[in-house]
Amino acid sequence: MKLDDAPVPNPVVVLREESDDWAILFNPDTSAAVGTNPVGVEIWKQADGTRSLRDIAATVARRFSNVPEGASGEVLSFADELARDGFFGVAEGAEG
Amino acid sequence: MSDAVEDGSVPPLGTIYCYLTEGCNLACRHCWLAPKFDADGSGHAVLPVDVFEGVVREAKPLGLSSVKFTGGEPLLHPRFGDLVEIASKAGVSVQVETNGLLCTPETARLIAGAPRPFVSVSIDGADAATHEWLRGIAGSFDKACRAVRNLSEAGLAPQVVMTLVRENMGQIEAVVRMAERLGAGSVRFNMVEPTARGADLGRANALPGVEELVAAGRIVDSDLAARTRMSLHFDIPQAFRPLGRIARSDESCGILTILGLLSTGHYALCGIGMQVKELVFGMAGKDNLSGIWRGSRVLGEIRAGLPQRLQGVCGRCLMNSRCLGACLAQNYYRLGSMWGPYWFCEQAEEQGLFPSTRVGGTV
Ligand code: SF4
């Protein structure tokens, strides 16, 4: 993925939030599951096919005191991981 | 290095659990191995030093990086120092699980001189009455506390291990505070496995139920852990542990990379070999270790079958590739099948306590 890509969540994937603000993303079709911290949860919630990863990185940097301004690299690698495992796709023509 | 493990389906043999003595100088009510009582280590089988030396030599090319000395009671071994020296010369890290009765300042220094040493001492209450109710021998509480101090003064960060029974459930925080004062580096809380004497305790209604354990684990993980400088580990199946705590620890079952060595010289899955003969694989010194590690039918089945052959709730659990079914030895003891389900999670599911976020399917 690139920073200008707008990730689209796989519609079958369910976000299962837990009491400590971590969560599990679960794909019932494949039984694939991935655990994620509160920052990852926010990235998942922001991803709606219109927001670019660059915008999402800026949002999480504003909302989480432990995420530095230039953390787009971490956001990108998290999104890549989710895309590789079929949790994210990329919106067609959502560049910019 | 002709024995070096190269086949991708055979993992390295990372750790050997060495059950050094058949006897033990305590008579714990919950012991899952039920060793014979032996006040001074003279009455029962101990692992011969030359057998241990040969095993280390054979295991090094298979990937051996650590040995765990346990028992019975490992410090009852009359040549414990020689065993530490052999491991040290091989550059193998030394872990010791002890009741502390024989852990003098000299023994503590001996262990501290080994590569990457780690020692855990069992203390089951914040006072002598509670600890000794479980451990069966008067005076054992003071000696265990002194052992932790000795280890700490020798430069180690010993772990206090508290085994949870109904009798001591109210003392969890008190044990943490006591461990801090004694100079421990961590505290681990263990559940009693319903094996051997542990099964008797369960029948006598002396063990906390699944619900109590889940609640206690939650308090330890999400409250107490933040209020101590020590690391705390509540030994409960992974489905019940907060994801954040799991992510910060690298704990997962080592079953794929460990082998047991019993005091009789037999290789086994782990100490369960003392109870279940089908999980004994051969004899050190007589049978070739590389052949056992690569060719044992049981080990091969475990490698090929985990986690997809796990049954019941373990088969549906989203943590199963990390947890690996909690304890295959315990499953075998209880059900005659390694694939479970593990008793704790099965009971939790029956009681509606299994976390719905951690199980496959729609919730
Ligand atoms: S259900 Fe089985 S695999 Fe899952 S946490 Fe419990 S014991 Fe482990």
Side-chain angles (χ1 to χ4, degrees):
Chain A
M1 279 193 160
K2 300 188 291 298
L3 274 176
D4 290 324
D5 288 338
V8 190
N10 180 340
V12 305
V13 171
V14 195
L15 177 73
R16 294 177 171 179
E17 294 183 83
E18 299 198 338
S19 58
D20 60 352
D21 296 335
W22 285 59
I24 290 180
L25 290 165
F26 175 62
N27 181 338
D29 285 354
T30 61
S31 287
V34 58
T36 179
N37 64 18
V39 176
V41 172
E42 185 63 30
I43 294 170
W44 179 262
K45 287 180 175 173
Q46 289 287 319
D48 62 357
T50 68
R51 296 188 183 97
S52 69
L53 285 170
R54 191 185 306 283
D55 291 342
I56 293 173
T59 304
V60 296
R62 268 198 314 278
R63 296 203 177 154
F64 291 87
S65 54
N66 58 344
V67 177
E69 200 69 41
S72 47
E74 280 85 343
V75 172
L76 197 54
S77 61
F78 177 69
D80 274 338
E81 198 184 311
L82 293 188
R84 197 187 52 230
D85 296 340
F87 290 84
F88 267 165
V90 182
E92 295 277 329
E95 299 261 312
Chain B
M1 294 287 283
S2 59
D3 274 348
V5 173
E6 283 154 15
D7 177 356
S9 66
V10 179
L13 169 51
T15 304
I16 296 183
Y17 286 9
C18 306
Y19 299 83
L20 297 187
T21 64
E22 193 178 42
C24 181
N25 50 359
L26 288 184
C28 304
R29 289 177 193 252
H30 64 283
C31 186
W32 72 290
L33 298 173
K36 294 146 187 151
F37 180 72
D38 188 355
D40 61 4
S42 60
H44 297 286
V46 297
L47 183 68
V49 171
D50 59 331
V51 169
F52 175 71
E53 191 164 25
V55 169
V56 170
R57 199 179 318 116
E58 284 189 71
K60 276 289 283 183
L62 299 174
L64 187 72
S65 59
S66 66
V67 288
K68 184 193 272 189
F69 293 141
T70 181
E73 166 50 41
L75 299 186
L76 266 181
H77 194 289
R79 294 179 61 193
F80 181 75
D82 292 337
L83 301 174
V84 173
E85 193 183 325
I86 290 164
S88 301
K89 278 200 181 129
V92 164
S93 110
V94 171
Q95 303 162 23
V96 183
E97 288 180 340
T98 175
N99 59 36
L101 262 65
L102 299 172
C103 190
T104 61
E106 297 72 43
T107 302
R109 283 194 291 274
L110 170 84
I111 300 169
R116 305 176 299 286
F118 181 80
V119 186
S120 60
V121 181
S122 302
I123 307 185
D124 298 325
D127 55 62
T130 309
H131 176 82
E132 289 166 13
W133 176 84
L134 196 61
R135 297 283 163 180
I137 299 288
S140 58
F141 177 74
D142 286 346
K143 286 181 179 162
C145 291
R146 206 167 310 131
V148 177
R149 276 196 208 287
N150 292 342
L151 291 159
S152 173
E153 283 164 11
L156 293 164
Q159 179 172 77
V160 168
V161 178
M162 178 184 190
T163 298
L164 297 170
V165 292
R166 276 202 198 289
E167 189 85 4
N168 65 10
M169 285 296 282
Q171 296 195 1
I172 287 177
E173 176 150 8
V175 166
V176 168
R177 299 300 164 219
M178 178 189 72
E180 284 172 337
R181 288 193 298 278
L182 294 172
S186 58
V187 181
R188 181 181 189 95
F189 302 95
N190 280 349
M191 323 186 285
V192 174
E193 293 289 347
T195 311
R197 290 185 204 149
D200 299 340
L201 265 191
R203 283 188 285 274
N205 203 24
L207 300 179
V210 167
E211 189 165 11
E212 270 174 279
L213 288 165
V214 170
R218 208 167 284 144
I219 291 168
V220 169
D221 274 333
S222 44
D223 174 34
L224 201 45
R227 294 191 284 112
T228 173
R229 61 165 176 79
M230 298 183 302
S231 64
L232 304 184
H233 181 83
F234 198 91
D235 192 20
I236 197 167
Q238 301 226 354
F240 296 87
R241 304 206 65 215
L243 290 172
R245 296 276 293 166
I246 293 174
R248 281 192 292 276
S249 74
D250 60 356
E251 291 196 38
S252 58
C253 180
I255 189 163
L256 296 173
T257 57
I258 62 165
L259 189 66
L261 175 63
L262 308 184
S263 57
T264 51
H266 289 94
Y267 292 117
L269 185 62
C270 61
I272 197 73
M274 294 182 212
Q275 304 284 339
V276 180
K277 295 303 160 222
E278 299 92 295
L279 299 179
V280 172
F281 307 138
M283 185 67 152
K286 185 164 148 285
D287 299 307
N288 174 272
L289 176 55
S290 173
I292 289 173
W293 187 245
R294 291 167 191 277
S296 149
R297 183 187 55 78
V298 174
L299 295 177
E301 273 182 27
I302 291 172
R303 287 167 196 149
L306 280 177
Q308 66 277 4
R309 283 186 70 186
L310 291 172
Q311 301 280 311
V313 66
C314 291
R316 286 177 273 115
C317 174
L318 297 182
M319 312 305 292
N320 67 13
S321 58
R322 191 178 171 102
C323 168
L324 303 180
C327 184
L328 300 197
Q330 174 56 236
N331 292 345
Y332 193 92
Y333 180 87
R334 188 173 76 96
L335 304 167
S337 158
M338 292 183 292
W339 310 112
Y342 184 56
W343 66 273
F344 184 94
C345 292
E346 185 181 49
Q347 282 184 26
E349 192 178 47
E350 282 163 9
Q351 295 170 31
L353 298 168
F354 197 86
S356 57
T357 54
R358 304 289 178 97
V359 75
T362 28
V363 289

